[in-house]
Amino acid sequence: MIAGLIVLAAAVVLVLIVIGMYNGLVRAKKQVENAWSQIDVQLKRRYDLIPNLVETVKGYAGHESAVLENVTRARSNAMSASSSDTGAKISAETELSGAIRSLMIQVEAYPQLKANENFLQLQEELTATENKISFARQHYNDTATNFNTAIAVFPASVIAGMFHFRDAELWQITDASEREAPKVKF
């Protein structure tokens, strides 16, 4: 009888440990999803700013249509990339970031545009949004790394395997030119 109670108590403790680990992994996964959605919030803000920026630049630099078309196309691709496919979303957003950088480089050739109050305000808002996106990406990567570590360590790795938890994809630079130091010319 005592042996049966000990076995029962051990089974209850084991079940409670499994439940605790599972719930911890679910919480960590939800934190990753929340961090990803925070990136989406900032990306939406950027998507909303880009058409205004393109229209303002178009008035001054209409013949730079290739650059403007690249920004518009990259924005459309980024907006249509599925948030559930992290890799595709990251790739599309990287393309959009590059197109925006190209646009800002082209703007340097137009002193009247750089002095335009509407453009300056849009540029400031876009810069602030890009900074927020950068911080959101950093938070996402930190949260994803914590989750990936949680599902990799023993004994949680056993529970993670049983319930099919998979690593969260990290936001990484895919364009080698983004790793290079910027060239400053005076």
Side-chain angles (χ1 to χ4, degrees):
M1 176 93 161
I2 292 178
L5 288 176
I6 291 174
V7 169
L8 181 63
V12 168
V13 168
L14 183 61
V15 167
L16 290 175
I17 290 172
V18 168
I19 290 171
M21 284 184 195
Y22 176 80
N23 288 342
L25 293 174
V26 168
R27 276 188 215 92
K29 179 69 172 165
K30 294 300 177 186
Q31 289 174 338
V32 169
E33 290 169 2
N34 178 53
W36 183 256
S37 69
Q38 296 305 315
I39 292 173
D40 273 345
V41 167
Q42 298 306 322
L43 294 177
K44 171 73 170 110
R45 178 177 159 78
R46 178 168 71 172
Y47 299 155
D48 292 345
L49 286 171
I50 289 172
N52 295 330
L53 186 66
V54 167
E55 287 303 314
T56 302
V57 172
K58 204 182 280 185
Y60 284 87
H63 62 281
E64 301 290 352
S65 61
V67 173
L68 298 173
E69 288 170 9
N70 283 343
V71 171
T72 303
R73 181 185 42 75
R75 176 183 175 266
S76 294
N77 290 345
M79 287 178 67
S80 65
S82 172
S83 287
S84 61
D85 183 355
T86 308
K89 187 73 170 173
I90 290 170
S91 178
E93 291 302 328
T94 301
E95 179 187 358
L96 179 55
S97 293
I100 291 171
R101 261 192 316 282
S102 294
L103 175 64
M104 294 316 226
I105 289 169
Q106 288 295 325
V107 163
E108 293 298 317
Y110 299 94
Q112 306 92 342
L113 175 58
K114 291 191 323 185
N116 178 285
E117 189 174 318
N118 288 340
F119 176 76
L120 291 174
Q121 182 181 3
L122 288 168
Q123 186 178 29
E124 186 176 313
E125 286 184 44
L126 187 60
T127 299
T129 300
E130 292 295 328
N131 287 336
K132 289 176 185 177
I133 291 169
S134 177
F135 287 125
R137 286 175 181 163
Q138 181 180 357
H139 176 68
Y140 168 78
N141 276 352
D142 291 344
T143 305
T145 298
N146 289 340
F147 173 73
N148 292 347
T149 301
I151 67 172
V153 297
F154 183 81
S157 62
V158 175
I159 305 303
M162 287 172 41
F163 292 101
H164 307 289
F165 285 91
R166 299 287 175 246
D167 277 352
E169 192 167 340
L170 297 178
W171 194 294
Q172 299 176 352
I173 293 175
T174 55
D175 182 359
S177 67
E178 290 185 37
R179 293 184 192 275
E180 297 174 12
K183 294 176 177 74
V184 179
K185 294 180 183 179
F186 293 102

